[in-house]
Amino acid sequence: MKVMFMGTPDIAVPCLEALIEKHNVVCVVTQPDKPKNRGQKMAMSPVKELALTHNIDVLQPTRFKDEAFLPELEKYNPDVIVVIAYGRILPKYVLEYPKHGCINVHASLLPKYRGAAPIQWCIVDGEKVTGITTMLMNEGLDTGDMLLKTVTEIGENETAGELFDRLAIMGADLLIETLVALEKGELKPEKQDDSLSTYAAMLDKSMSPVDWSKPAQQVHNH
């Protein structure tokens, strides 16, 4: 299949690597280069770095409104768009353009932990299991119909960083499994139960202090 890949940070890299090996990645869409570290030198996203090493076209749009991205969609004409941690909400015309739609790889067992930081909040909340969900994207925030899931236990002392690394690999495997089933027409999308949803908001510095008055397990998880 012709795949347009949208992603930005480290967690998206294993998925892109798997797609490059198994499919025809026609282009990669990632966030614009940004200043980084104390020197504030412009830095590429990890996804862009990987794409360039494979001579894949890289797009870094700054706007999607008013069908500004339509010429790129028409140029590359993807069969499917794969999205993982891209960092922007996609408008309806993008979501509906590919014949197989837009597939998102999300690092939680939806509908729990929708949002930007599902891995960290699983650790903070002391969850025992988590996983990866692939879904068909819609205009909501991680509200699309679910496709496939894979589950993993969270270690007693496992950090968010350690879990992040494991889920990145699991996400790549589940993505390829999802695309194989998609090509065979074997996927059965399942609607999410909104009443069971939880939201994983972005972390901020206000969370940094440790509240030592809380039970020991909560302090440990924090």
Side-chain angles (χ1 to χ4, degrees):
M1 282 197 293
K2 292 192 299 181
V3 180
M4 175 181 284
F5 183 81
M6 294 185 170
T8 300
D10 291 333
I11 197 170
V13 168
C15 283
L16 179 55
E17 289 175 330
L19 287 172
I20 291 170
E21 182 179 345
K22 301 287 187 179
H23 293 274
N24 176 22
V25 180
V26 292
C27 70
V28 161
V29 184
T30 191
Q31 289 290 310
D33 298 355
K34 295 180 179 180
K36 190 175 181 180
N37 299 328
R38 291 185 178 180
Q40 292 294 285
K41 292 183 178 180
M42 298 299 288
M44 296 183 289
S45 72
V47 163
K48 180 178 179 179
E49 290 181 2
L50 177 61
L52 292 178
T53 63
H54 289 274
N55 297 312
I56 298 172
D57 290 354
V58 175
L59 308 177
Q60 296 177 277
T62 56
R63 61 188 295 269
F64 285 92
K65 290 184 178 179
D66 304 319
E67 298 192 346
F69 193 66
L70 185 58
E72 283 75 15
L73 291 171
E74 293 173 338
K75 175 182 178 181
Y76 293 100
N77 192 28
D79 297 317
V80 65
I81 296 176
V82 171
V83 183
I84 174 167
Y86 172 49
R88 295 187 67 174
I89 299 296
L90 301 179
K92 186 176 181 180
Y93 79 92
V94 176
L95 297 173
E96 295 181 347
Y97 188 88
K99 65 180 180 180
H100 292 303
C102 293
I103 292 179
N104 179 242
V105 180
H106 186 73
S108 81
L109 299 175
L110 292 171
K112 294 188 71 174
Y113 297 103
R114 296 171 178 172
I119 297 173
Q120 293 90 335
W121 281 105
C122 277
I123 299 294
V124 171
D125 291 346
E127 296 284 357
K128 302 300 183 184
V129 298
T130 186
I132 297 288
T133 305
T134 54
M135 66 176 172
L136 284 172
M137 295 176 67
N138 59 20
E139 292 182 90
L141 179 62
D142 300 326
T143 56
D145 291 354
M146 300 177 292
L147 299 174
L148 297 179
K149 289 185 179 181
T150 185
V151 179
T152 185
E153 293 185 0
I154 300 174
E156 181 180 0
N157 297 307
E158 190 167 20
T159 66
E162 292 165 344
L163 181 59
F164 181 104
D165 292 340
R166 289 203 299 117
L167 290 178
I169 302 301
M170 290 174 58
D173 292 339
L174 191 66
L175 170 61
I176 297 304
E177 184 181 345
T178 300
L179 293 183
V180 168
L182 180 66
E183 286 187 291
K184 293 180 177 179
E186 296 176 347
L187 289 177
K188 296 180 179 180
E190 176 188 355
K191 291 194 177 298
Q192 296 188 42
D193 185 345
D194 292 339
S195 68
L196 300 177
S197 69
T198 58
Y199 179 60
M202 292 182 66
L203 306 186
D204 60 59
K205 291 182 179 180
S206 67
M207 294 180 61
S208 297
V210 178
D211 184 351
W212 297 104
S213 67
K214 288 185 176 181
Q217 188 62 50
Q218 289 186 30
V219 172
H220 171 271
N221 294 341
H222 185 106

